[in-house]
Amino acid sequence: MNDFGDAHLRTWTLRLMALLSADRHAQLAWLRGQETETTDVAEEMELLCRVAEGLAERAVFAPGELRDLRTVGRRLGTMDVSHRVGYWADALSTDPAWDDIRALARQFLVTSLGDWRQPLPRPVRSGTGDN
């Protein structure tokens, strides 16, 4: 993991997985005041799962981590497209697929870090200057 870009992608993956693995109430608290689209979350994770293949070739992800990421990617791929419409905060409460993804993200973090309980990334707020 000599390349700064590889390290950044690993960190990005760990942060997103920390968010996906959090209890629903913690996710909803993190989302408070944000209008994060469900499709954005799903597409970002799918992208990271695809990128992980190349990163594993460069030893950024261990085989067990890659296996877990592939499992997350497959689960996201089977998610009903109609459930990707709207805000993620709403989907967390209505689509049981997010419970499955939460469990898979936790497994990835246990494999990677030994514990799924990780600090959540700082929320990205709009750049309006009103925050």
Side-chain angles (χ1 to χ4, degrees):
M1 193 166 32
N2 298 339
D3 182 42
F4 174 74
D6 288 355
H8 175 75
L9 288 170
R10 179 175 174 76
T11 299
W12 181 18
T13 303
L14 291 170
R15 286 179 180 159
L16 184 55
M17 292 302 256
L19 179 58
L20 292 176
S21 72
D23 292 325
R24 182 180 301 129
H25 71 276
Q27 292 169 327
L28 292 171
W30 186 88
L31 284 164
R32 191 171 296 124
Q34 295 187 68
E35 295 180 343
T36 302
E37 295 285 336
T38 304
T39 191
D40 293 340
V41 175
E43 288 175 358
E44 190 162 331
M45 194 62 236
E46 287 175 326
L47 172 65
L48 287 172
C49 289
R50 286 191 304 272
V51 168
E53 296 288 334
L55 294 173
E57 291 174 8
R58 295 192 300 274
V60 175
F61 288 114
E65 292 172 307
L66 181 59
R67 180 193 65 238
D68 292 343
L69 286 171
R70 284 177 178 155
T71 303
V72 171
R74 280 192 302 274
R75 181 60 185 103
L76 284 165
T78 64
M79 185 182 285
D80 186 342
V81 175
S82 67
H83 289 213
R84 292 185 178 207
V85 176
Y87 296 125
W88 191 42
D90 296 333
L92 286 169
S93 299
T94 60
D95 186 355
W98 290 104
D99 294 331
D100 295 343
I101 292 165
R102 183 177 299 107
L104 296 171
R106 287 177 179 181
Q107 179 56 52
F108 169 81
L109 290 171
V110 167
T111 300
S112 297
L113 304 174
D115 190 356
W116 67 266
R117 291 171 208 84
Q118 301 298 316
L120 296 182
R122 284 188 295 185
V124 176
R125 303 289 182 205
S126 66
T128 62
D130 296 335
N131 297 351

